[in-house]
Amino acid sequence: MNNNFYLELKACLSKLRTLYSAECINEDKLYGLTSELAFFRSQLEKKGRRRERKLLYCISTLSNLIKENSHEKIYDFLTVICNMPDIFLGKRNFYSFGREI
């Protein structure tokens, strides 16, 4: 995976977080962003190295939360994970997320 992949994943997660911060969710935007998320998931499954595949847990958990439709849980989870692609961009390490988690 290259840096552009992680920047786009981070942007997708940030957009989802913004979407879930509103009282009413635009279903069209949600559909588009969940489709993007499915693409990122498939790319990680196919091409991701072992270390990179750890993001699959985050994406799977997020997908399950979206299916549950619990807006507050989704928003809180996105708050924690939306910057995790920074690990693979070399901007942060996993342990720097300890306080957020």
Side-chain angles (χ1 to χ4, degrees):
M1 305 283 115
N2 60 28
N3 286 352
N4 194 44
F5 176 85
Y6 292 109
L7 289 171
E8 289 176 12
L9 175 58
K10 183 177 177 176
C12 179
L13 294 172
S14 295
K15 289 175 190 174
L16 277 166
R17 183 174 178 257
T18 300
L19 192 65
Y20 276 97
S21 69
E23 287 186 33
C24 294
I25 294 181
N26 180 322
E27 295 295 326
D28 291 333
K29 286 184 181 180
L30 178 61
Y31 178 77
L33 291 170
T34 54
S35 296
E36 279 185 50
L37 203 57
F39 168 76
F40 291 119
R41 180 183 188 158
S42 69
Q43 291 301 301
L44 284 167
E45 288 173 347
K46 291 178 189 174
K47 301 177 183 176
R49 288 177 272 153
R50 184 176 179 190
R51 182 174 176 249
E52 294 169 320
R53 288 175 180 242
K54 293 179 180 180
L55 283 174
L56 288 174
Y57 171 78
C58 295
I59 293 172
S60 295
T61 302
L62 179 58
S63 296
N64 290 337
L65 290 172
I66 290 171
K67 288 175 188 171
E68 285 180 23
N69 202 26
S70 174
H71 292 214
E72 189 174 334
K73 279 184 184 179
I74 296 166
Y75 178 79
D76 290 344
F77 188 70
L78 282 164
T79 298
V80 173
I81 69 163
C82 72
N83 290 317
M84 284 197 173
D86 285 348
I87 295 169
F88 303 96
L89 293 168
K91 295 180 180 181
R92 290 180 72 173
N93 65 38
F94 178 77
Y95 300 104
S96 69
F97 286 92
R99 192 176 64 173
E100 292 162 301
I101 293 172

